[in-house]
Amino acid sequence: EVIGQTPRILKSGALSQDTYKEFWAKLLLKEVVFKELTNKTKDGKTITIEASANPILDNSGNIIGFLAIQHDVTEKKKLEKIKEEFLSTVSHELRTPLTSMKNITTNILVGVTGEINPKQKRYLSMMNQDIDRLTRLINDLLDMSKIEDGKVILVKKPTDIISLTLILVEKLIPIANSNGINLEFVSNIDKNIINIDRDKIEQIITNLIGNALKFTPNNGKVVVKIDESENEILCSISDTGVGIANSELEKVFDKFYQVGRVEGQGAKGTGLGLPIAKELIKLHGGRIWVESVAGKGSTFHFTIPKENMQK
């Protein structure tokens, strides 16, 4: 039906001239192009498509065209929206009873309702830990839902990134020591005032250090380092844990993906900490990535552009 005709992706105007130029600019660099667009079917129905384009090269490596593929993801998008709305509703509904349960178990533990025996205390402590775990899961679900809906607004204020990181490290040193792990902070920079959302960056750093501690065995080491380049502030969290397999490196920032590198201390997380960190760093205009060698440890890096620095 379409052989010999102008491809509808161009004919229908789904690709504006600017988008078409953007496609070609990347194709000329021999990059694969991916974009989400809207298009119309023959009966005029609007659909959402994922369009990808790969450069076609001749034997000399010159670009002679491109192969474009369109995938109708309209139903997929509808299902994702339903899922997100469901998760958001359930999360909100669960927060209130969990808060009540936490208050009740805490009051019993501290003796508000009378004296309790060691066995009761142990069981109540276990309940409290599970309540905390569920609360973290719910908070992560809500954070991810807000990010995907574009409802996260950064509140940037001048903040000393060095001082902030040092405070977070000092808070976590007792936890590290209790597990026989040496936690250190290293920086050649004395002070660095930068405009960031303090709460969001604190959330990211705490999550990355927490992961490093969780995945590092006794007598291991975790090092938090802050450095700078000409254009960026760089924060790195390195551990001497069991590392991440090459097959999993590309998946660590996927939602709900549980990296299979934990054999030691700590329960598994929600699978949302790293995806949330990735999106929050992107909102700051930075980058986040991981380097790892199985059996030797991992290093998570993130950057914040110096354009955010206080003038």
Side-chain angles (χ1 to χ4, degrees), residues 105-117:
T105 54
T106 300
N107 285 338
I108 297 174
L109 275 169
V110 298
V112 172
T113 60
E115 188 176 348
I116 58 175
N117 61 47

Side-chain angles (χ1 to χ4, degrees), residues 138-154:
I138 289 168
N139 288 336
D140 284 348
L141 287 170
L142 289 172
D143 285 345
M144 199 72 235
S145 178
K146 288 177 183 177
I147 288 170
E148 291 177 336
D149 289 343
K151 294 180 179 178
V152 174
I153 299 175
L154 299 183

Side-chain angles (χ1 to χ4, degrees), residues 88-210:
S88 179
T89 301
V90 170
S91 299
H92 279 291
E93 292 298 323
L94 285 173
R95 289 184 87 172
T96 300
L98 278 174
T99 301
S100 176
M101 290 164 63
K102 176 71 173 180
N103 291 335
I104 292 170
T105 54
T106 300
N107 285 338
I108 297 174
L109 275 169
V110 298
V112 172
T113 60
E115 188 176 348
I116 58 175
N117 61 47
K119 188 174 183 179
Q120 292 170 327
K121 186 174 183 179
R122 185 171 71 254
Y123 280 117
L124 285 166
S125 296
M126 291 167 61
M127 288 175 61
N128 248 352
Q129 291 174 7
D130 283 340
I131 291 170
D132 289 340
R133 183 169 59 86
L134 284 171
T135 302
R136 286 195 299 271
L137 172 58
I138 289 168
N139 288 336
D140 284 348
L141 287 170
L142 289 172
D143 285 345
M144 199 72 235
S145 178
K146 288 177 183 177
I147 288 170
E148 291 177 336
D149 289 343
K151 294 180 179 178
V152 174
I153 299 175
L154 299 183
V155 181
K156 293 183 179 181
K157 295 180 180 179
T159 305
D160 182 2
I161 187 71
I162 307 298
S163 175
L164 171 62
T165 307
L166 180 58
I167 290 171
L168 297 176
V169 169
E170 289 176 342
K171 284 182 180 179
L172 292 170
I173 283 178
I175 296 175
N177 290 342
S178 67
N179 290 318
I181 301 170
N182 182 25
L183 175 59
E184 296 182 2
F185 175 68
V186 179
S187 180
N188 294 324
I189 310 168
D190 294 328
K191 193 175 184 181
N192 221 303
I193 306 298
I194 191 168
N195 286 312
I196 56 173
D197 186 315
R198 183 187 177 99
D199 290 341
K200 301 295 188 294
I201 297 299
E202 182 174 331
Q203 178 180 350
I204 293 164
I205 296 174
T206 301
N207 176 265
L208 293 176
I209 298 176

Side-chain angles (χ1 to χ4, degrees), residues 15-29:
L15 279 184
S16 66
Q17 286 297 314
D18 288 342
T19 304
Y20 190 63
K21 289 177 182 177
E22 179 188 340
F23 261 58
W24 267 111
K26 292 184 178 180
L27 288 167
L28 289 172
L29 296 174

